[in-house]
Each structure stands twice: as structure tokens, then as C-alpha cells.
Amino acid sequence: MQENGSVKKVNEPYLVDALSFTEAEARIIEEQTPYISGDFSVSAVKRTKITEIFKDDKGDRFYLVKVAFITIDEKTAVEKRSISQILVQAGDFKSAFENFLEGMKGSMADYEIVSISETQILDVYYAPHLAGQKPASAE
């Protein structure tokens, strides 16, 4: 509802940790219903390539960190890079970088940050029994 009383249609992306598209749609409806007056619908549900999420409850934004994990093929001695996408919650770009480094602290893997970009994701809904698994996104 806008200040002048008219209703404005909006599209808001959320990330939902779910086992199926049906579960993702049901969970986002359940989570959003208390905050929405009037009709609303889920316009799209799609899989993401996000492999991990680093939470920071002080942060109000979500940043996508594309990271290249570097391995060496022992037979050919050729360097291989595999790209992963990690979602990092933070208040700003600098905090996103720092939170990413903190999240990677115990890792033995060699990696290189390819990019960090702010996403349009407004919130992430975690399933307690699915922590750490690949989430689906709902829009």
C-alpha cells in the first residue's frame, strides 16, 4: 500500500531452504502471510547454485561471493578451478568480504575470490533440519 492509498504490485526475491519447489512455495507463503495485506502469489520458484550460506545476524543485506577453488591434477600437474557461489550476509561490502574470510578460516582448500556482488535477496528462510544444504529460491 502506497502513501496515496493505491496498491502497488512488487516482486521480492527470497531464498528458501527446501527439499522441493512445493515445499519452498508453501514455506514462503507461510512466512510472508503475516506481513502482507491483500492478495499475493509466488510468481517463480527456481533452484540456485548457492553451495553455502555464511550468516551474520547484524547484516541486513546478502552478497554473492563467487569463489574459484583451485586443485592440481596429480597426473597432469594441471591447475583446475571450480567455481562455487557462497551467499554472505553482511551490512556492507567490506563486512561481506570479512565475513567470507571468517567463514573460510578453517578451510584447507586453495581458493581465489572471483567476484563479490550485492544481491536483491531480502531474506533467507532456513529449515533447521536442512542446514548447510543447497537452498531453492522463491520470487
Side-chain angles (χ1 to χ4, degrees):
M1 184 74 71
Q2 295 183 315
E3 288 180 19
N4 65 6
S6 65
V7 176
K8 181 180 178 183
K9 197 172 198 175
V10 295
N11 223 4
E12 296 179 334
Y14 295 91
L15 194 65
V16 180
D17 199 357
L19 291 172
S20 67
F21 292 141
T22 304
E23 181 186 350
E25 182 176 10
R27 293 220 20 249
I28 197 65
I29 289 169
E30 177 186 336
E31 295 285 352
Q32 288 298 303
T33 297
Y35 306 106
I36 296 174
S37 61
D39 292 335
F40 78 96
S41 65
V42 176
S43 62
V45 178
K46 59 186 174 185
R47 250 181 248 292
T48 69
K49 294 183 179 183
I50 294 170
T51 57
E52 197 165 349
I53 301 172
F54 296 158
K55 292 182 3 177
D56 178 2
D57 293 333
K58 293 178 279 184
D60 60 349
R61 299 181 194 148
F62 293 92
Y63 293 82
L64 188 65
V65 179
K66 289 185 183 177
V67 59
F69 288 99
I70 303 164
T71 57
I72 306 288
D73 186 313
E74 292 181 18
K75 292 180 181 178
T76 62
V78 174
E79 185 178 279
K80 290 186 179 185
R81 296 164 50 101
S82 60
I83 302 292
S84 289
Q85 296 181 12
I86 298 174
L87 192 68
V88 178
Q89 186 177 7
D92 57 29
F93 185 87
K94 182 177 183 249
S95 298
F97 176 71
E98 291 167 351
N99 291 351
F100 171 77
L101 293 178
E102 182 66 29
M104 294 299 292
K105 230 177 201 164
S107 175
M108 300 288 285
D110 290 330
Y111 64 88
E112 190 175 279
I113 296 173
V114 175
S115 66
I116 301 176
S117 57
E118 186 175 350
T119 69
Q120 297 299 310
I121 294 171
L122 296 177
D123 207 352
V124 176
Y125 296 104
Y126 303 93
H129 65 285
L130 297 175
Q133 292 188 18
K134 188 182 290 190
S137 69
E139 192 171 295

